[in-house]
Amino acid sequence: MIEWKNLLRGFVMGTSDVIPGVSGGTMALILGIYGRLIDGINKLTTKEWKSQLGFFIPLGIGMGTAILALSNVIEWLLLDYPEPTFSLFIGLILGTIPFLMREADYRRSFTGKHYAILAVAAAVVIASGLLQEDTGDIMTSISLSGYVFLFFAGWLASSAMLLPGVSGSFVLLIIGAYPTVIAAVSSLNLLVLIVVGLGIVVGILIMSKFIHFLLRNHSKGTYATMIGLLIGSLFVVFPGIPGSIGLFFASVVMFLIGFGLAVILGQINNSKL
């Protein structure tokens, strides 16, 4: 059965994928489908793969549509109105953290170890944001070793994308592959896109199994990690104080909209509608 409501969810996730600093995993958490997403990806390599197509086909269509339709719009918003744009996502992220903490039943289940995990996870994301200036150069003449590098770049980026709070684009920036990948998308360099795409597929399949194992066997530690990643992403996404009164109030409004959406989605998930 095709889950057509995933068209909208995929569209939201695809929109986040074209925004530096915003993780697709974060959006999956906000939308209440993170566990289903990880479980579904994990089952794609089993005999149950056909039963997952109803979930992933509309999700993929929605993501692809958003990336193709909104990439230029998002680029314009980030260039001309970065503060209100990022404020929306800060609101979404901040509104999701209490929902996750309730899901983890942190008051009764978290110990000092879990808070330490949370702090380390937040520090890792903040550090990744501090390193984002190291963008590297476009690889114009790519050798075999260059294609191997791009394959593993896609692998690492896709692995990060599954983690809430960790942006795949940041990983590409840190290891110096971002300009080459973006240039390949712009010029439709199919060979580069295929190599990076294969890396992304392999990374997602392997990382999903690891996250699925953690959720089953170390759920509280995994929740602590996710919460820490989200907290760290707040520092990474924060665009600074707007330079004008108009932008400041627009940023406040967008923050409140994002926070309100996260609260509403959390209530919907709790009521299992």
Side-chain angles (χ1 to χ4, degrees), residues 56-163:
F56 283 107
I57 288 176
L59 194 72
I61 292 173
M63 291 180 68
T65 301
I67 291 172
L68 292 174
L70 297 180
S71 57
N72 291 333
V73 175
I74 295 297
E75 184 179 5
W76 168 69
L77 287 173
L78 291 174
L79 184 64
D80 293 345
Y81 304 101
E83 294 90 352
T85 304
F86 279 117
S87 293
L88 172 68
F89 286 94
I90 290 173
L92 282 168
I93 294 168
L94 196 59
T96 303
I97 292 173
F99 169 74
L100 262 187
M101 294 179 75
R102 289 194 300 271
E103 285 286 297
D105 194 15
Y106 77 101
R107 291 182 183 273
R108 291 192 299 177
S109 62
F110 274 22
T111 63
K113 175 183 70 175
H114 296 110
Y115 288 109
I117 292 172
L118 187 154
V120 169
V124 168
V125 177
I126 293 171
S128 75
L130 295 175
L131 292 171
Q132 66 177 300
E133 296 295 333
D134 183 18
T135 59
D137 299 316
I138 296 176
M139 300 166 64
T140 55
S141 180
I142 306 176
S143 62
L144 177 60
S145 61
Y147 283 112
V148 172
F149 165 74
L150 289 172
F151 173 82
F152 282 104
W155 181 325
L156 291 172
S158 66
S159 298
M161 286 165 57
L162 289 178
L163 294 172

Side-chain angles (χ1 to χ4, degrees), residues 6-60:
N6 281 345
L7 277 171
L8 180 58
R9 289 167 170 167
F11 194 86
V12 173
M13 291 178 65
T15 302
S16 72
D17 284 336
V18 298
I19 298 178
V22 182
S23 165
T26 300
M27 290 298 105
L29 266 178
I30 291 170
L31 294 168
I33 60 169
Y34 186 77
R36 175 71 178 85
L37 178 68
I38 297 300
D39 184 60
I41 295 173
N42 192 52
K43 288 180 178 177
L44 286 176
T45 55
T46 70
K47 294 180 179 180
E48 300 179 57
W49 68 272
K50 288 185 179 180
S51 65
Q52 306 306 312
L53 296 181
F55 177 85
F56 283 107
I57 288 176
L59 194 72

Side-chain angles (χ1 to χ4, degrees), residues 230-249:
L230 288 178
I231 291 173
S233 71
L234 291 172
F235 292 89
V236 174
V237 175
F238 180 63
I241 303 298
S244 69
I245 296 296
L247 282 177
F248 176 80
F249 281 108

